[in-house]
Amino acid sequence: MGAGHAHKLYRHGHSPVHDLPPHCKLAAVFCFVVVVVSTPREAVWAFALYAALIAAVAVLARIPAGFLLKRLLIEVPFVAFALLMPFVVPGEQTELLGVPVSVPGLWGAWNVLAKGTLGVAASVLLASTTELRSLLLGLQRLKLPPLLVQIASFMIRYGDVVTDEMRRMSIARRSRGFEARGMRQWGVLAASAGALFIRSYERGERVHLAMVSRGYTGSMPVIDEVTASRAQWAYASALPVLALVVCLLGWTL
């Protein structure tokens, strides 16, 4: 993966958040999410403060609100699940806009929506300010098992290869006048999927043989050594530390 490889969530920029080492950002986001999940759901004001912290980081990283909100749409399935909870969870009943709903279900829906949205927002901010290659280096620096890091690295690289192969096959079908308009065309699509699997498998074998012939023994060499200063760690820890203060107040007040 080249140094310029970037994913769709990444937004190129030069900000204090972009410049932080990736393992600092990974640790900060992980700790922030743990703190948010540990907050009692009844402390509604605490989640508002968490949202303000996320907004402050987005401003510091120069990430537009529209960019962040658009990528929060990934949690729509969880929102749909949460909206059903007031109607399916048993317990004390109350009325909301004239509709009888469950009080435990309302709290459960709020819990899922608040914590899920904050977690997704933090993850989107991490992805928006960190390239994929840097994320992998950060995971490696945090001593994640090397095999898992390699699997993630190969998955990212090979995903682009398979996607490009699918694009070429789609262009080839359209150039021959093929259009998927109904069930009659499913056979062609099934055959294309089978051909894509065979091509991908064969390419994977060729890539593995090429790696072995170049000395691959099961571990990838570390080309870039990512380090962080105490100041950078302190800067990155500001988010989870402030969140922890809010969480402790949520349990005590």
Side-chain angles (χ1 to χ4, degrees):
M1 191 187 315
H5 187 282
H7 52 87
K8 293 183 178 179
L9 288 178
Y10 179 71
R11 183 179 177 86
H12 181 74
H14 299 283
S15 71
V17 181
H18 282 81
D19 295 337
L20 280 176
H23 53 292
C24 294
K25 289 186 278 188
L26 282 166
V29 169
F30 175 78
C31 293
F32 174 78
V33 172
V34 170
V35 170
V36 169
V37 172
S38 303
T39 305
R41 64 187 184 183
E42 292 79 11
V44 178
W45 58 269
F47 296 100
L49 291 180
Y50 292 148
L53 289 175
I54 289 292
V57 174
V59 171
L60 194 62
R62 303 188 183 99
I63 302 297
F67 183 91
L68 180 61
L69 293 175
K70 183 178 179 181
R71 278 143 185 81
L72 285 178
L73 293 177
I74 193 174
E75 69 163 342
V76 167
F78 299 97
V79 173
F81 169 76
L83 292 178
L84 289 175
M85 294 182 68
F87 303 99
V88 297
V89 175
E92 180 186 351
Q93 297 287 312
T94 187
E95 285 195 1
L96 181 65
L97 301 177
V99 180
V101 292
S102 165
V103 174
L106 286 174
W107 279 116
W110 160 252
N111 193 49
V112 171
L113 285 175
K115 296 180 179 180
T117 301
L118 289 168
V120 172
S123 301
V124 169
L125 281 178
L126 173 64
S128 301
T129 57
T130 316
E131 293 183 347
L132 277 176
R133 181 173 178 274
S134 298
L135 284 173
L136 294 173
L137 291 174
L139 292 173
Q140 195 173 36
R141 184 68 179 175
L142 291 173
K143 305 302 181 182
L144 194 75
L147 185 59
L148 294 181
V149 178
Q150 287 188 56
I151 291 174
S153 176
F154 292 145
M155 179 185 68
I156 292 168
R157 298 181 186 186
Y158 208 60
D160 290 339
V161 174
V162 174
T163 301
D164 190 56
E165 186 69 32
M166 289 176 59
R167 182 184 60 81
R168 288 197 297 268
M169 293 176 67
S170 177
I171 293 174
R173 289 195 302 267
R174 291 199 302 269
S175 66
R176 290 165 174 78
F178 173 80
E179 292 185 17
R181 296 181 176 177
M183 295 180 60
R184 293 183 178 180
Q185 284 76 35
W186 285 9
V188 177
L189 297 177
S192 298
L196 177 64
F197 173 78
I198 294 174
R199 292 182 185 181
S200 302
Y201 186 82
E202 291 177 345
R203 179 170 292 190
E205 286 187 326
R206 293 197 300 271
V207 170
H208 180 257
L209 290 174
M211 292 174 63
V212 171
S213 67
R214 289 165 174 79
Y216 176 73
T217 58
S219 61
M220 298 293 288
V222 178
I223 299 176
D224 298 325
E225 186 68 22
V226 182
T227 59
S229 64
R230 291 184 179 180
Q232 288 173 320
W233 273 113
Y235 189 61
S237 64
L239 176 65
V241 168
L242 290 174
L244 180 60
V245 172
V246 174
C247 179
L248 293 177
L249 291 175
W251 281 105
T252 56
L253 295 181

